[in-house]
């Protein structure tokens, strides 16, 4: 049960971000030895996240963020198309913006307090499995060994494994007087951001994160244009570019004792690519199942529980979101205008009062469920729309 030698661990976690740190916290809380190997020189840095999350989601992850981790409280969102816009009140959903640099360090502290070890500047270069032992080599040439390996190296690892269709994104931290303190802005434009959108996430008065993502776009050029349109003055404080995963979860979540979690398992929302909550829960479920396996002589059959627990929690929601994504990816700007301008104020009131940030497929359904929209989508998408409706009714 305890450490067997300096470089032999019960579990090695590749990737020290939200999902890897939560898995490590769970496993080490059960008394098993865990090493987290993180390629960056600092946990939480560079931050590649908008940090928008529900307080309910964070509670489920077992984290009450410190005051300095909470950057902002969100009251609503303005959703825009080229020639139309509407506003949703989200006060009931208790959405906050967190500073991932600080949040990830809180998770690292939780994991470490339970006994996990964290090594930064330790980029994994190879993972080999033989005789029930993983040999994990890092860039310095050092090799660590373990009984289980947790794959938590994010979307980059999916791309390395040959998965396609990740969406390029760019996000700048900026200071600009036109940023509204507690309102998120989302802008759809099928030509500028195909398959996704542009966003402004306020982190305070006159400061925030501005981002764009879209299939096959030049992200830096697109974000510069978005900023030009918003107008001067603004100052860019930080730039990041990172791929987003919106294609759904990837089964199986484990092969032998190699267990994928978080973005590396595609556990990000197909609508927005948000993954702090759903991927974090992946880490927690995986950590619990790995602990059970270790308790039972490394019996891998307990890992099936991880997959079924995660799919029971998120499977239906993600399947629905994928169908809504199919609709979004087909709409041109005229159609987006038409649909957005036909939303009734009662539908908006309903979404404002009953919407759920983490499980928003129901809100999307009511949003698209006006007579004008349904008729329009039947005409615009024909059989494809009929099939989506049929598939939705089965979930
Ligand atoms: C621009 C942007 C905005 C986003 N906004 C939001 C948002 O507002 N809300 C939300 O819920 N989600 C958001 N997300 C998604 C969210 O950031 C991820 O879902 C979440 O961080 C996933 O956590 P993870 O632990 O699975 O993977 P990641 O956070 O991707 O972490 C992977 C870790 O593995 C490390 N790593 C990679 N390769 C190696 C290697 N070879 N060796 C060792 N370590 C390695 C990386 O350095 C990194 O620390 C956003 C993503 C992007 C890109």
């Amino acid at each position: 049960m305890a450490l067997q030698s300096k470089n032999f661990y019960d579990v090695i976690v590749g990737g020290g971000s939200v999902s890897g740190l939560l898995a490590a916290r769970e496993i080490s809380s059960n008394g098993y030895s865990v090493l987290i190997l993180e390629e960056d020189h600092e946990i939480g840095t560079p931050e590649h996240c908008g940090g928008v999350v529900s307080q309910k989601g964070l509670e489920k992850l077992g984290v009450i963020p410190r005051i300095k981790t909470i950057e902002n409280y969100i009251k609503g969102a303005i959703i825009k198309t080229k020639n139309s816009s509407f506003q949703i009140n989200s006060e009931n959903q208790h959405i906050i913006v967190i500073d991932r640099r600080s949040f990830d360090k809180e998770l690292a502290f939780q994991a470490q307090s339970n006994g996990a070890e964290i090594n930064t500047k330790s980029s994994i270069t190879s993972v080999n499995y033989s005789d029930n032992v993983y040999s994990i080599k890092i860039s310095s040439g050092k090799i660590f060994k373990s009984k289980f390996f947790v794959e938590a190296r994010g979307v980059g690892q999916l791309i390395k494994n040959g998965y396609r269709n990740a969406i390029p994104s760019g996000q700048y931290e900026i200071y600009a007087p036109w940023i509204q303190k507690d309102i998120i802005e989302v802008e759809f434009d099928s030509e500028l951001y195909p398959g996704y959108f542009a966003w402004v996430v306020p982190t305070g008065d006159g400061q925030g994160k501005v981002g764009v993502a879209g299939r096959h776009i030049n992200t830096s050029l697109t974000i510069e244009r978005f900023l030009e349109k918003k107008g001067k003055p603004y100052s860019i404080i930080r730039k990041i570019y990172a791929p987003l995963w919106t294609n759904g979860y990837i089964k199986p979540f484990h092969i032998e004792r190699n267990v994928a979690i978080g973005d590396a398992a595609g556990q990000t929302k197909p609508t927005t690519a948000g993954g702090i909550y759903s991927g974090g829960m992946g880490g927690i479920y995986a950590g619990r199942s790995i602990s059970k396996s270790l308790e039972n002589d490394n019996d891998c059959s307990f890992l099936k529980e991880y997959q079924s627990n995660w799919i029971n929690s998120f499977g239906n929601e993600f399947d629905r979101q994928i169908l809504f994504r199919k609709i979004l990816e087909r709409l041109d700007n005229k159609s987006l205008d038409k649909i957005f301008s036909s939303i009734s104020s009662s539908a908006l009131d309903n979404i404002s009062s009953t919407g759920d940030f983490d499980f928003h497929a129901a809100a999307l359904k009511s949003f698209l469920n006006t007579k004008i929209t349904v008729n329009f989508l039947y005409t615009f998408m024909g059989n494809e729309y009929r099939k989506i409706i049929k598939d939705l009714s089965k979930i």
Side-chain angles (χ1 to χ4, degrees):
M1 189 154 139
L3 265 178
Q4 282 133 42
S5 82
K6 246 196 325 197
N7 75 339
F8 195 100
Y9 294 81
D10 290 315
V11 183
I12 290 178
V13 177
S17 181
V18 61
S19 64
L21 293 166
L22 285 167
R25 181 190 77 187
E26 293 302 310
I27 300 164
S28 52
S29 73
N30 288 307
Y32 298 103
S33 58
V34 184
L35 173 67
I36 299 158
L37 295 170
E38 166 54 48
E39 91 177 336
D40 288 323
H41 63 281
E42 184 181 337
I43 294 294
T45 304
E47 183 190 66
H48 48 80
C49 187
V52 184
V53 71
S54 71
Q55 283 181 305
K56 198 174 70 184
L58 289 189
E59 273 167 32
K60 290 197 179 141
L61 296 180
V63 194
I64 299 166
R66 280 177 295 199
I67 299 289
K68 70 170 198 169
T69 299
I70 301 177
E71 292 187 311
N72 206 357
Y73 294 85
I74 298 299
K75 289 194 177 151
I78 296 180
I79 320 280
K80 295 179 180 169
T81 58
K82 241 180 155 168
N83 297 302
S84 155
S85 75
F86 62 82
Q87 185 154 347
I88 297 175
N89 178 323
S90 66
E91 279 177 275
N92 285 343
Q93 300 181 45
H94 305 288
I95 297 167
I96 57 175
V97 183
I98 52 171
D99 175 354
R100 283 291 303 271
R101 285 158 280 210
S102 168
F103 180 71
D104 286 18
K105 287 193 183 77
E106 284 191 46
L107 299 182
F109 185 72
Q110 286 189 342
Q112 200 276 338
S113 305
N114 286 338
E117 272 178 55
I118 302 169
N119 275 2
T120 54
K121 221 170 179 310
S122 300
S123 177
I124 296 173
T125 53
S126 67
V127 177
N128 291 309
Y129 185 56
S130 87
D131 296 330
N132 295 326
V133 172
Y134 283 94
S135 299
I136 315 291
K137 193 171 179 184
I138 61 168
S139 45
S140 66
K142 202 166 176 180
I143 294 175
F144 297 94
K145 292 179 187 279
S146 62
K147 297 176 193 166
F148 286 78
F149 176 66
V150 176
E151 178 56 84
R153 285 180 284 170
V155 180
Q157 194 56 33
L158 284 178
I159 295 169
K160 276 190 195 142
N161 289 344
Y163 286 94
R164 286 157 195 264
N165 280 332
I167 301 182
S169 81
Q171 181 176 268
Y172 294 180
E173 280 180 35
I174 66 162
Y175 299 152
W178 42 260
I179 294 179
Q180 292 192 58
K181 188 184 175 306
D182 37 31
I183 303 289
I184 288 178
E185 269 184 58
V186 174
E187 185 178 304
F188 290 91
D189 186 315
S190 64
E191 284 157 27
L192 297 176
Y193 329 113
Y196 207 79
F197 46 80
W199 65 92
V200 180
V201 171
T203 50
D205 227 350
Q207 47 186 286
K209 303 168 194 179
V210 170
V212 300
R215 296 205 186 278
H216 315 295
I217 62 167
N218 176 327
T219 44
S220 57
L221 209 64
T222 310
I223 203 166
E224 301 287 347
R225 283 195 187 138
F226 180 78
L227 283 170
E228 262 168 42
K229 200 171 66 177
K230 295 300 273 182
K232 294 255 176 200
Y234 60 81
S235 291
I236 300 166
I237 305 308
R238 209 173 146 260
K239 298 181 177 183
I240 56 117
Y241 301 96
L244 299 174
W245 187 256
T246 56
N247 304 301
Y249 54 93
I250 299 164
K251 289 192 292 184
F253 288 169
H254 78 99
I255 294 172
E256 305 263 5
R257 298 184 202 164
N258 184 330
V259 185
I261 59 174
D263 282 20
Q267 292 169 348
T268 43
K269 290 183 216 168
T271 45
T272 63
I276 297 172
Y277 170 53
S278 47
M281 286 309 296
I284 290 177
Y285 289 140
R288 288 178 187 161
S289 296
I290 291 170
S291 301
K292 279 194 190 166
S293 298
L294 284 161
E295 222 170 279
N296 290 280
D297 209 15
N298 308 320
D299 181 352
C300 284
S301 63
F302 287 92
L303 297 178
K304 286 193 197 117
E305 267 181 29
Y306 153 44
Q307 183 163 310
S308 59
N309 283 340
W310 191 92
I311 289 177
N312 283 342
S313 298
F314 298 101
N316 275 354
E317 173 70 17
F318 272 48
D319 292 347
R320 283 196 192 112
Q321 288 188 13
I322 282 193
L323 294 172
F324 289 120
R325 163 155 288 284
K326 278 190 183 162
I327 297 176
L328 172 72
E329 299 229 4
R330 283 281 277 108
L331 299 178
D332 58 15
N333 279 338
K334 268 193 180 164
S335 323
L336 285 166
D337 277 342
K338 182 154 182 99
I339 290 173
F340 278 58
S341 57
S342 70
I343 294 162
S344 66
S345 53
S346 63
L348 290 179
D349 288 347
N350 185 32
I351 291 169
S352 296
S353 55
T354 63
D356 183 332
F357 179 75
D358 299 308
F359 295 90
H360 53 239
L364 282 174
K365 196 172 170 192
S366 74
F367 172 86
L368 292 174
N369 211 8
T370 67
K371 204 170 169 194
I372 300 173
T373 302
V374 170
N375 287 342
F376 173 75
L377 288 172
Y378 268 122
T379 317
F380 186 73
M381 293 176 70
N383 282 339
E384 205 181 335
Y385 184 62
R386 281 184 186 85
K387 186 172 178 316
I388 289 173
I389 294 298
K390 207 169 144 196
D391 288 347
L392 260 176
S393 67
K394 287 189 217 148
I395 298 169

